[in-house]
Amino acid sequence: MKFPIFVRIISFLIVLILFTFSAYKADQWIVGNARVEEEKFFCADREELEIEIKKVVISSVIINAEEIEKKLKSKYSCIKLVEIKREFLINLIFKVYGRTPAASIGLTRQEESSPSSYFTVDEEGIILSSDDQKNLPIIYFAGEINDQTPNILIANTLLVRKNIERLGVESDTMRIFKEQLFIKTNNDIELIFSLENPLNIQLASLQLILDQAKITQERIEVVDLRFDKPVVKYAPKK
């Protein structure tokens, strides 16, 4: 007795679906056909990363990209993003992107005290290592940093630095104290920001002040942007 063609097609699709689902869980299928690619990943070697991914995949009921990324990030704080792609149903490609060092943090107890320790962080304020990289800008930070949680104060500080560079203002040393950012620029201007207030407004005010100083040929000593109306101190005229 021959089955109608549509019955055979449906039966084939059911078998294919069951086979594919079993491939998600089968150790030999998943591990034997997984490939790891990495970009700027420095906190472990490829072999260690592949072993860790194997453990995560085997322990998963289904291949959930968000869940796998969460588990890997809990193990390696230097991971920024994990992408999972599928090839030929059962082949998996794990693309792991690492975090890039953006600044060195010198932890201090008080506003002006010397750092007790140094950490390297990325642009989100995530700690990458417990050392001081000389080629990075230094942020002196009076407070505590969680090595797993993005630090909004550090992230905002790096955002400010990026934006003032666009205005032609350069600085390699910044200091965070009580949600306030103090910057000494390379041309001896002191800038003070509030890291709690909207930064776009403060940066826009700074641009207007700098543009005005160029027109009037006045030399600025201090720009305090913490208030609704910025406070500007100019050097005495000779």
Side-chain angles (χ1 to χ4, degrees):
M1 178 180 177
K2 292 186 177 181
F3 293 99
I5 185 66
F6 74 90
V7 174
R8 283 182 283 173
I9 293 174
I10 292 175
S11 299
F12 173 77
L13 291 175
I14 291 174
V15 171
L16 181 62
I17 291 172
L18 291 174
F19 173 79
T20 302
F21 179 77
S22 65
Y24 275 111
K25 278 298 293 176
D27 186 357
Q28 294 300 319
W29 285 106
I30 291 298
V31 177
N33 295 276
R35 187 169 82 249
V36 175
E37 298 177 357
E38 58 186 75
E39 184 174 319
K40 297 179 180 179
F41 180 77
F42 307 111
C43 55
D45 57 33
R46 180 184 287 260
E47 183 178 354
E48 179 182 341
L49 182 60
E50 289 177 345
I51 292 174
E52 192 62 33
I53 287 177
K54 173 182 175 179
K55 292 178 182 177
V56 173
V57 170
I58 293 175
S59 64
S60 302
V61 177
I62 59 174
I63 304 302
N64 185 304
E66 292 184 2
E67 187 63 25
I68 289 178
E69 182 177 33
K70 182 179 178 181
K71 290 181 179 180
L72 289 174
K73 282 184 174 181
S74 67
K75 174 76 173 180
Y76 304 104
S77 61
C78 65
I79 291 179
K80 185 173 185 177
L81 177 66
V82 178
E83 292 181 348
I84 302 177
K85 298 180 181 180
R86 181 172 291 279
E87 285 184 335
F88 309 114
L89 294 179
I90 59 174
N91 293 341
L92 296 178
I93 301 175
F94 293 84
K95 180 79 173 186
V96 180
Y97 297 87
R99 297 180 179 275
T100 302
S104 287
I105 306 299
L107 289 183
T108 65
R109 294 183 180 275
Q110 300 176 1
E111 183 180 3
E112 298 295 338
S113 63
S114 300
S116 57
S117 59
Y118 283 91
F119 297 93
T120 301
V121 299
D122 76 337
E123 61 183 6
E124 295 179 2
I126 295 291
I127 294 178
L128 303 181
S129 63
S130 57
D131 59 7
D132 175 25
Q133 295 191 21
K134 303 299 183 182
N135 59 331
L136 295 175
I138 299 176
I139 301 174
Y140 296 102
F141 184 91
E144 297 181 356
I145 300 177
N146 187 313
D147 62 356
Q148 294 290 336
T149 305
N151 190 296
I152 189 64
L153 298 180
I154 294 175
N156 281 347
T157 295
L158 291 172
L159 181 62
V160 167
R161 183 175 186 272
K162 181 185 296 185
N163 278 275
I164 65 174
E165 283 182 343
R166 294 172 181 170
L167 300 177
V169 179
E170 296 183 355
S171 174
D172 292 326
T173 304
M174 298 153 281
R175 188 177 298 275
I176 299 172
F177 181 70
K178 292 184 177 180
E179 290 75 43
Q180 299 170 96
L181 172 62
F182 300 83
I183 300 176
K184 193 71 171 181
T185 71
N186 292 350
N187 56 346
D188 291 328
I189 300 176
E190 184 178 10
L191 306 177
I192 308 174
F193 290 84
S194 168
L195 296 175
E196 292 184 314
N197 296 336
L199 292 176
N200 58 335
I201 297 176
Q202 298 176 71
L203 289 166
S205 298
L206 176 62
Q207 182 173 5
L208 291 174
I209 293 167
L210 294 177
D211 289 344
Q212 182 66 25
K214 289 180 181 179
I215 296 172
T216 61
Q217 296 294 306
E218 293 179 286
R219 189 169 70 84
I220 298 174
E221 289 186 342
V222 180
V223 181
D224 192 340
L225 299 152
R226 294 173 293 177
F227 312 102
D228 292 337
K229 186 176 180 180
V231 177
V232 184
K233 179 182 178 181
Y234 296 95
K237 294 183 178 180
K238 296 180 180 180

